[in-house]
Amino acid sequence: MPTLNVASEVYTADSVLIGRYFEEDRDPVPFDSISEHVLDALIATEDIRFYKHNGVDFMGLVSGAISTLKGDPRGASTITQQLAKNLFKTRYTNAQGYLSKVPGLNILITKYKEWMTAYKLETRYSKKDIITMYLNTVSFSNNAYGIKSASIRYFNKQPKNLNVNESALLVGMLKGTTIYNPIRNPKNAMQRRNVVLAQMGKSGYLTEAEVKGLSRDSLKLDLNYKDNIDGNDSYIRSAVERWLEKWSQDNEIDIYKAGLKIYTTIDSRMQKIAEKVVAERMEELQRRLKNTWGSEEPWRDKEGKVIPEFLENHARKLPIYASLMQKYHNNEDSVFRDLQVKKEMEVFTWQGMEKVKYSTMDSLKHYLMMLNTGMMAMNPYDGEIKVWVGGINHEYYKFDHVNQAKRQAGSTFKPFAYMAALESGMSPCDKFTDKPVKIEFTNKKGEHEIWEPKNADWSVSYREMSLRWAMARSLNTITAQVTEAVGWDKVVDVAHLCGIESKLESVPSVGLGSNDVSVLEMVKGYSTFMNAGKKTDPILVSKIVGMDGNVIATFKSEQKQVISPENAWLMTYMLRGTVEEPGGTSQALWEWDLFKNENEIGGKTGTSSDYVDGWYMGVTKDLVAGVWVGCDEQSIHFKNSATGEGSKTALPIYALFMEELYKHPELGVTFGRFPESTVEIKKDYRCPSPRIRVEQPVDSVETPDSPEDEALLLPELEEVKPVQRELDMQRNNTQENRSDNLP
């Protein structure tokens, strides 16, 4: 029995099918999973004496010859012969011998081979096996191979549930999958279906009245293209494919042909929550970005000036540009006139596909201005990835923003600088002063440079602050001092130890997140903090089951102790400070219902230069999650911190996700405090910050764009709403209660 090319299936951890890999979309089914109407239609149409011959029907040959002489040509191949042809490719050149080159002998030799093969099949397999193998091998066009793929593709149902008309339509296609294709040629398909119904009537499977009634019915297709299912699932399928690339090579297994069942660590229920939140929030953010620029051109350089020829340079990369240049004999003016012609088209929007009258240039602008996102959530203790949202729509944006895209991390990188400080012997209570900083250093070219980092609000308070408070407020001045004190090489080393794999430039600004990293790396790094200092490799695939039902591979996370458990616990305590400390940059989380039952959340916002990238990293006792928001084209971004910083773009996605997740405790993520330390905490960390009103949290490596922005970001005390005072009191009580119970 030759091996069929069988599609592999990808499942979530809770056994929900989310995708398939195939060259031929085939999923074999047993005999009892096929509707009897399919069997009746097939026998009536293709081989009425199927149960009476031994592979070759000589009576059928004679009958076929007589019918041909009467002007009614029909084939005489049995189902078994057709199976032999499908399995062993007897009509292909590589199945032909030398005698086939003799004129007139070709068809005779081929037929003889098919007869002999059919006879051997009949001696080794039952009739049920043969008809089942046949239905599992035949092509039904539209990349549907086998009866199961066809029934799902055309009628969105299992083959067991096909009714008479549906069965007749599929069997009718076997005479010619193109001419009788119900999608391309519905009229021909209906005529052929009615012929099959008539044959079923002649063979006694249907009454004359049933044939007449069924023939009047429409096709009633319910198309289901599994290779174009939900975009986020497609990101997962692509990620799993990349994940298994080395495994496939090492084990010489082709996941497109091997019929595997691949079980991911993704929880379909968490994934659905994440996708819903992303869709709702990104639609709002997209509207905000559009309103930010209005009729202005949004592509700007570092000085805020419009980038000349921006759209034109992108258009020159399109395939249509090359063809138009050929058409217009390299006359670019004519090419761009053509590209400016408006025509009816559909474009992707958050309201669905929208019919518009756009030119190619309009369409290009539309897609370049779309905000994108990457989101991942992981269990920090076993490395299992629970949520993977690679972007907003896989059909239009193939690039995966979880592990392929690398963007400037901004302030979300600061915890690695503070971890370096802890590893160097400092404690969360060590104090630095928020003051102007000037750092002199020699760059890689041997040149002398001076770096003077500024806080995001342009101000310095000259206040002495603990490391916990400084990190909570995301102060650039103190982070730069900490980085200088421990050495930027140390910051790079600690980040790499925790799980950041990207190349990091060892420069004074490294602690402020000047390097590009992926969402996956950041989640991995923060998981090291939560897992008592053990770096945990993320796992996307848990096991692989072969076609025979046996498990052929399992995957577990590798863990390695890379930082001390004491310092890891202290970092989780410091991450909580962004919620609990006055002026902490995560205090916007209080707007959501996240703090029941003494729940504790830690996290870090991040915003890169010019508000290009918005980040949020969140940690709870059960889950570490990372969110990035931005445009793929980095010259398109928000204008100011009020609209574009991480606390306004990425943080709400995290908050909404967690709020909804907490409504479903059965998913394993519940309210509660962080785990207590497994070791004695010898360093001092009980240093509550003064309960004073400080600046509105701002988090960016850039300064506000104007004095108006500064005024917006620094409201006076009397302007603070009463509800904000109430939130402050809640935060104070939370910290005070927590401090009373610390070990």
Side-chain angles (χ1 to χ4, degrees):
M1 181 61 187
T3 301
L4 298 177
N5 292 341
V6 179
S8 292
E9 297 177 332
V10 184
Y11 291 88
T12 61
D14 48 329
S15 300
V16 175
L17 179 66
I18 56 174
R20 294 157 66 86
Y21 303 116
F22 54 81
E23 289 182 357
E24 298 177 353
D25 186 6
R26 178 183 286 112
D27 186 5
V29 292
F31 179 83
D32 58 7
S33 294
I34 302 172
S35 168
E36 63 179 18
H37 301 307
V38 174
L39 303 172
D40 294 345
L42 180 63
I43 291 171
T45 308
E46 298 292 330
D47 190 357
I48 192 61
R49 286 173 40 79
F50 174 69
Y51 288 107
K52 298 178 181 178
H53 61 68
N54 292 319
V56 180
D57 184 9
F58 292 103
M59 290 183 61
L61 284 171
V62 174
S63 174
I66 294 173
S67 296
T68 301
L69 291 173
K70 290 181 178 180
D72 181 21
R74 63 182 178 88
S77 292
T78 65
I79 289 174
T80 316
Q81 286 175 253
Q82 293 179 52
L83 174 63
K85 180 175 66 176
N86 293 341
L87 289 179
F88 299 101
K89 315 296 183 187
T90 56
R91 303 294 174 96
Y92 285 52
T93 302
N94 58 7
Q96 308 295 318
Y98 291 112
L99 288 177
S100 65
K101 302 183 186 302
V102 179
L105 288 180
N106 184 20
I107 189 63
L108 294 177
I109 291 172
T110 299
K111 278 292 184 183
Y112 176 74
K113 287 182 177 182
E114 289 174 4
W115 289 351
M116 293 302 296
T117 305
Y119 177 75
K120 289 180 179 181
L121 287 171
E122 290 274 354
T123 61
R124 297 191 182 190
Y125 298 96
S126 68
K127 291 289 187 179
K128 282 185 178 181
D129 290 337
I130 289 171
I131 201 168
T132 303
M133 284 191 281
Y134 174 79
L135 286 169
N136 281 326
T137 58
V138 287
S139 169
F140 290 90
S141 191
N142 292 103
N143 205 14
Y145 292 82
I147 189 63
K148 180 178 179 180
S149 293
S151 62
I152 292 175
R153 181 61 49 90
Y154 295 108
F155 298 108
N156 199 19
K157 60 172 62 175
Q158 295 295 319
K160 181 70 174 177
N161 301 322
L162 291 169
N163 62 32
V164 176
N165 260 346
E166 293 163 347
S167 301
L169 176 69
L170 294 179
V171 169
M173 289 180 66
L174 298 176
K175 186 174 179 66
T177 55
T178 300
I179 192 172
Y180 299 120
N181 188 304
I183 300 174
R184 301 175 189 171
N185 300 301
K187 185 176 180 180
N188 291 348
M190 181 176 286
Q191 291 174 348
R192 178 60 184 166
R193 182 205 66 184
N194 291 345
V195 169
V196 174
L197 291 173
Q199 288 297 111
M200 294 177 73
K202 289 179 185 179
S203 303
Y205 293 113
L206 298 174
T207 65
E208 185 175 341
E210 286 174 326
V211 172
K212 190 173 296 184
L214 289 167
S215 297
R216 289 195 291 266
D217 203 358
S218 62
L219 294 180
K220 293 183 178 177
L221 300 179
D222 184 5
L223 302 178
N224 179 3
Y225 287 93
K226 290 188 298 297
D227 49 339
N228 286 324
I229 64 174
D230 182 84
N232 288 309
D233 285 341
S234 294
Y235 285 114
I236 297 174
R237 294 202 313 276
S238 298
V240 170
E241 180 184 15
R242 291 189 296 271
W243 211 275
L244 292 177
E245 185 176 358
K246 186 177 186 305
W247 178 87
S248 299
Q249 293 174 352
D250 292 345
N251 294 275
E252 297 183 348
I253 294 177
D254 188 342
I255 63 174
Y256 287 86
K257 300 178 180 179
L260 307 174
K261 293 190 185 302
I262 302 165
Y263 288 89
T264 69
T265 59
I266 298 294
D267 187 299
S268 68
R269 300 158 297 180
M270 289 189 192
Q271 180 75 17
K272 189 174 295 184
I273 291 172
E275 291 170 4
K276 183 174 182 293
V277 167
V278 164
E280 291 173 355
R281 191 64 190 180
M282 290 301 291
E283 179 180 0
E284 181 182 331
L285 291 174
Q286 189 65 51
R287 190 162 52 246
R288 184 194 299 175
L289 180 66
K290 183 177 180 181
N291 292 338
T292 293
W293 291 101
S295 59
E296 296 180 79
E297 293 181 323
W299 35 89
R300 306 290 173 122
D301 60 20
K302 290 291 183 181
E303 284 70 45
K305 297 177 181 177
V306 174
I307 300 173
E309 294 282 295
F310 177 85
L311 269 187
E312 289 77 6
N313 286 332
H314 276 277
R316 291 182 180 104
K317 301 173 185 177
L318 299 175
I320 191 175
Y321 175 84
S323 62
L324 287 175
M325 284 290 282
Q326 187 174 6
K327 174 182 177 181
Y328 292 113
H329 307 292
N330 293 327
N331 186 327
E332 194 174 64
D333 290 340
S334 299
V335 169
F336 279 109
R337 274 196 298 271
D338 194 304
L339 294 177
Q340 292 286 3
V341 174
K342 295 186 182 295
K343 46 190 175 289
E344 296 288 339
M345 65 174 68
E346 285 191 338
V347 295
F348 166 74
T349 72
W350 283 109
Q351 289 75 40
M353 297 305 296
E354 182 179 334
K355 289 185 177 181
V356 293
K357 195 165 186 178
Y358 274 0
S359 68
T360 300
M361 301 299 282
D362 294 332
S363 174
L364 185 60
K365 177 181 179 180
H366 172 81
Y367 283 111
L368 286 172
M369 277 202 68
M370 290 296 291
L371 280 169
N372 224 309
T373 188
M375 179 179 182
M376 175 182 150
M378 169 179 139
N379 182 320
Y381 311 111
D382 60 17
E384 291 191 354
I385 298 171
K386 297 302 181 183
V387 166
W388 186 295
V389 181
I392 57 173
N393 187 289
H394 188 265
E395 184 176 354
Y396 295 96
Y397 301 91
K398 302 294 186 188
F399 203 55
D400 193 310
H401 298 83
V402 170
N403 71 336
Q404 287 184 308
K406 293 188 178 184
R407 302 295 287 254
Q408 195 178 85
S411 295
T412 56
F413 201 85
K414 287 176 180 175
F416 297 112
Y418 287 90
M419 176 55 77
L422 295 178
E423 286 284 278
S424 297
M426 296 187 198
S427 78
C429 289
D430 284 354
K431 289 182 168 57
F432 284 77
T433 301
D434 176 22
K435 62 183 181 180
V437 176
K438 179 185 292 187
I439 296 176
E440 299 187 28
F441 68 103
T442 303
N443 63 26
K444 286 189 174 181
K445 298 179 181 178
E447 301 167 337
H448 181 261
E449 285 193 37
I450 298 176
W451 180 52
E452 299 182 66
K454 301 290 190 293
N455 287 329
D457 60 8
W458 284 3
S459 71
V460 290
S461 64
Y462 292 96
R463 184 180 291 123
E464 195 175 54
M465 296 184 179
S466 68
L467 289 186
R468 187 181 196 243
W469 193 11
M471 193 182 90
R473 292 193 54 199
S474 198
L475 295 177
N476 294 339
T477 54
I478 292 182
T479 305
Q481 292 177 61
V482 169
T483 301
E484 184 180 31
V486 300
W488 30 92
D489 286 344
K490 176 71 172 178
V491 175
V492 169
D493 291 342
V494 167
H496 282 317
L497 283 174
C498 289
I500 303 299
E501 297 177 357
S502 295
K503 177 178 171 55
L504 302 175
E505 292 292 333
S506 183
V507 292
S509 62
V510 64
L512 274 60
S514 56
N515 287 285
D516 292 346
V517 293
S518 69
V519 171
L520 186 144
E521 289 176 286
M522 292 297 287
V523 172
K524 181 179 178 181
Y526 275 61
S527 293
T528 302
F529 306 149
M530 291 303 298
N531 195 24
K534 292 189 287 289
K535 180 177 68 176
T536 305
D537 288 338
I539 294 295
L540 183 57
V541 176
S542 60
K543 67 177 179 179
I544 299 176
V545 178
M547 208 176 341
D548 58 2
N550 294 321
V551 176
I552 61 176
T554 57
F555 302 88
K556 297 290 184 183
S557 176
E558 292 186 7
Q559 298 195 4
K560 181 182 179 181
Q561 192 76 45
V562 293
I563 58 178
S564 77
E566 179 184 18
N567 288 331
W569 186 89
L570 289 172
M571 177 50 66
T572 66
Y573 172 68
M574 291 176 67
L575 285 170
R576 279 177 26 224
T578 65
V579 176
E580 298 170 356
E581 293 280 353
T585 55
S586 295
Q587 289 190 352
L589 292 177
W590 287 94
E591 297 176 22
W592 287 272
D593 190 13
L594 299 173
F595 296 97
K596 293 178 180 177
N597 303 327
E598 298 182 322
N599 192 44
E600 292 178 338
I601 298 178
K604 192 71 195 71
T605 54
T607 313
S608 67
S609 301
D610 300 320
Y611 315 101
V612 171
D613 306 287
W615 287 80
Y616 193 73
M617 300 298 304
V619 297
T620 68
K621 67 180 181 63
D622 300 311
L623 207 63
V624 174
V627 181
W628 166 86
V629 174
C631 286
D632 285 328
E633 177 51 59
Q634 297 187 35
S635 62
I636 302 175
H637 47 76
F638 290 99
K639 286 184 177 181
N640 53 47
S641 63
T643 55
E645 67 176 16
S647 64
K648 306 297 195 306
T649 58
L651 180 147
I653 293 176
Y654 173 79
L656 287 165
F657 168 69
M658 293 302 299
E659 184 179 60
E660 187 62 30
L661 197 54
Y662 281 136
K663 296 177 184 177
H664 302 277
E666 69 277 8
L667 302 185
V669 178
T670 57
F671 292 113
R673 292 184 170 188
F674 280 16
E676 297 293 348
S677 175
T678 57
V679 299
E680 181 185 358
I681 305 300
K682 297 179 180 179
K683 293 182 179 180
D684 185 17
Y685 61 91
R686 297 179 182 89
C687 45
S689 304
R691 313 314 310 175
I692 58 174
R693 182 66 189 167
V694 296
E695 296 88 347
Q696 187 79 1
V698 180
D699 192 5
S700 170
V701 296
E702 278 291 292
T703 59
D705 300 280
S706 67
E708 289 77 14
D709 282 337
E710 184 176 12
L712 175 67
L713 299 174
L714 299 174
E716 295 298 330
L717 180 59
E718 58 267 26
E719 295 175 349
V720 179
K721 296 180 180 179
V723 67
Q724 184 63 50
R725 292 197 185 98
E726 179 62 27
L727 291 177
D728 282 345
M729 292 176 64
Q730 292 178 15
R731 286 192 289 273
N732 294 347
N733 292 335
T734 298
Q735 171 150 348
E736 288 163 5
N737 292 339
R738 181 69 181 98
S739 298
D740 291 340
N741 294 283
L742 290 173

